[in-house]
Amino acid sequence: QVQLVESGGGLVQAGGSLRLSCVASGRTFSSYAMGWFRQAPGKEREFVAAIRWSGSSTNYADSVKGRFTISRDNAKNMVYLQMNSLKPEDTAVYYCAVNRYYGSTSSTDFGSWGQGTQVTVSS
């Protein structure tokens, strides 16, 4: 069982940057693919980015491609989301989650959800 805790959210102006972190407990962290999702008020949870267990492959939603970067440090049980050129439409609660297999962008294939961290981008 993996437990996840996100941090790093906050209030930032449009065009600014934030770096989200997700720390995992559990000795099997390095065997899982990891993903970031977000959920804005009144909207469904949506895929943001994912990374293979080895870090060798990444996948992004079209809306964040070229602006966000997902990375991981298996030695530290950490996964990160570097967010640059933020837009007001990026405002949401951001969650990290695990997936046994890399490749899916569906939230139903991910588990061990953290509590989320709020990101607010002002115009």
Side-chain angles (χ1 to χ4, degrees):
Q1 184 76 10
V2 177
Q3 292 182 320
L4 305 172
V5 178
E6 304 93 338
S7 62
L11 174 63
V12 63
Q13 289 188 331
S17 298
L18 282 174
R19 187 195 196 203
L20 304 184
S21 299
C22 173
V23 60
S25 62
R27 293 176 292 177
T28 59
F29 168 79
S30 61
S31 66
Y32 289 102
M34 296 295 298
W36 284 98
F37 288 76
R38 66 187 182 186
Q39 188 166 19
K43 295 188 177 181
E44 293 188 355
R45 191 169 297 187
E46 64 172 359
F47 171 78
V48 175
I51 187 166
R52 192 181 292 274
W53 69 270
S54 62
S56 60
S57 301
T58 57
N59 187 25
Y60 298 93
D62 288 342
S63 59
V64 307
K65 202 170 292 184
R67 300 187 298 122
F68 290 11
T69 302
I70 187 172
S71 61
R72 67 191 296 164
D73 185 337
N74 287 340
K76 297 181 179 179
N77 278 13
M78 297 289 294
V79 63
Y80 307 99
L81 186 68
Q82 178 67 44
M83 305 186 297
N84 298 329
S85 302
L86 283 161
K87 305 175 181 180
E89 51 263 44
D90 294 319
T91 295
V93 177
Y94 283 71
Y95 301 88
C96 64
V98 302
N99 190 352
R100 186 170 295 276
Y101 305 107
Y102 173 78
S104 173
T105 62
S106 171
S107 62
T108 57
D109 291 328
F110 287 76
S112 299
W113 297 88
Q115 84 291 345
T117 185
Q118 176 71 48
V119 171
T120 303
V121 184
S122 63
S123 57

